[in-house]
Amino acid sequence: MRVRFDSYRVTLVVCPMDMRCGFKRLNSICGQLLGIDLSKGQDLVVFVSKTCAIAKMVFCDDKGSNLLTRRLHSGHYQRLLMSADGKATKPLSVIELERYLDGLAIEVTRNNLLKN
């Protein structure tokens, strides 16, 4: 099995989730609350624990269903701010997903109009 994230639309759920959930429950949350049908094989959804130390990715491919768990040895996943009246999800590029899963910041507070 070889996982290539570039063939998926990546969605990060920014509100903390109970990491005791398995694929079946997380898939149900995707369908009922987010309107994402994982069985089509087009989406990958990332959930993060309350402590921001564990992330779970759920997705499907042509062979089956997948649940990947990533626990950071040190540090935490970045907490992201969202609009109070918007969805609790954020679309990510593959590069942003890789940075995020490595525990790196994907959003920063800007103090300057010019890129550093």
Side-chain angles (χ1 to χ4, degrees), residues 110-116:
R110 296 300 298 253
N111 298 319
N112 192 331
L113 290 176
L114 303 176
K115 200 172 188 179
N116 292 342

Side-chain angles (χ1 to χ4, degrees), residues 18-113:
D18 182 358
M19 288 295 107
R20 294 176 293 179
C21 296
F23 179 86
K24 188 173 181 178
R25 179 69 182 131
L26 293 175
N27 183 38
S28 174
I29 291 169
C30 289
Q32 293 176 359
L33 300 178
L34 304 177
I36 297 173
D37 184 5
L38 292 179
S39 65
K40 292 181 180 178
Q42 299 172 344
D43 293 282
L44 179 146
V45 181
V46 180
F47 296 92
V48 180
S49 68
K50 185 185 254 185
T51 62
C52 292
I54 300 171
K56 286 189 176 181
M57 296 171 284
V58 290
F59 59 100
C60 294
D61 58 20
D62 56 345
K63 301 289 183 185
S65 305
N66 300 283
L67 170 73
L68 296 177
T69 303
R70 179 151 172 96
R71 181 186 309 263
L72 292 177
H73 292 300
S74 63
H76 298 283
Y77 294 108
Q78 180 182 20
R79 284 199 191 271
L80 303 175
L81 297 176
M82 300 301 291
S83 172
D85 57 351
K87 289 187 174 183
T89 61
K90 178 176 181 60
L92 296 178
S93 69
V94 174
I95 293 170
E96 289 173 322
L97 173 65
E98 290 171 353
R99 287 183 53 82
Y100 189 78
L101 293 176
D102 284 339
L104 302 173
I106 59 173
E107 291 184 353
V108 296
T109 302
R110 296 300 298 253
N111 298 319
N112 192 331
L113 290 176

Side-chain angles (χ1 to χ4, degrees), residues 6-22:
D6 56 351
S7 61
Y8 294 98
R9 276 189 309 254
V10 179
T11 303
L12 173 66
V13 177
V14 297
C15 60
M17 292 296 299
D18 182 358
M19 288 295 107
R20 294 176 293 179
C21 296

